[in-house]
Amino acid sequence: MRKPLPDTRSSITTKITSDSIDAYITVGFYENNQPGEVFIKIAKMGSFMSTMMDQIGKQASILLQTGHTGSSVVEKWKHISGEGGVLLAKIAEAFEKSVSLMGGQIDKGNE
């Protein structure tokens, strides 16, 4: 069952650059500083790549809201190869950094 996020919540947005592609990852947090939502925006890319990153963020959010750990989400991103694989690895690093900055634990799910 999905655990809803509070109406007002903390978030961190990080800019990532990979192969001259700028991306922004925003991580929203629960009151206990555990991640609960992820938004990924790609600057100056076609609609296909933008839509893909948007869907990856939505899927990650659903996983986090249903009790999966941040590390289980990140582990999947780090092992994607091909077009977008390097960018997703950098997004994974930014996600981990955001959780760390908020004092959350990447290995803890949202109970």
Side-chain angles (χ1 to χ4, degrees):
M1 189 157 150
R2 285 174 75 171
K3 179 182 176 187
L5 285 147
D7 290 338
T8 303
R9 55 191 164 269
S10 299
S11 66
I12 294 178
T13 300
T14 305
K15 180 181 177 183
I16 303 149
T17 302
S18 175
D19 297 328
S20 73
I21 298 170
D22 290 334
Y24 299 86
I25 178 172
T26 300
V27 181
F29 295 89
Y30 288 99
E31 298 92 343
N32 65 356
N33 294 331
Q34 289 303 110
E37 65 183 355
V38 180
F39 298 98
I40 304 168
K41 296 294 176 199
I42 305 293
K44 298 180 185 175
M45 286 300 292
S47 61
F48 176 76
M49 183 66 94
S50 294
T51 300
M52 289 276 293
M53 292 299 164
D54 186 51
Q55 291 304 310
I56 289 169
K58 285 180 184 177
Q59 290 174 357
S61 298
I62 291 168
L63 288 170
L64 293 168
Q65 292 169 19
T66 56
H68 289 79
T69 64
S71 60
S72 68
V73 171
V74 165
E75 207 47 43
K76 302 298 184 217
W77 290 343
K78 288 183 176 179
H79 291 94
I80 293 175
S81 60
E83 188 175 344
V86 172
L87 179 59
L88 271 175
K90 289 189 175 198
I91 288 170
E93 290 172 12
F95 177 84
E96 291 173 316
K97 181 180 176 183
S98 296
V99 173
S100 176
L101 286 171
M102 287 297 292
Q105 297 175 4
I106 196 90
D107 293 332
K108 184 179 176 189
N110 292 304
E111 292 87 35

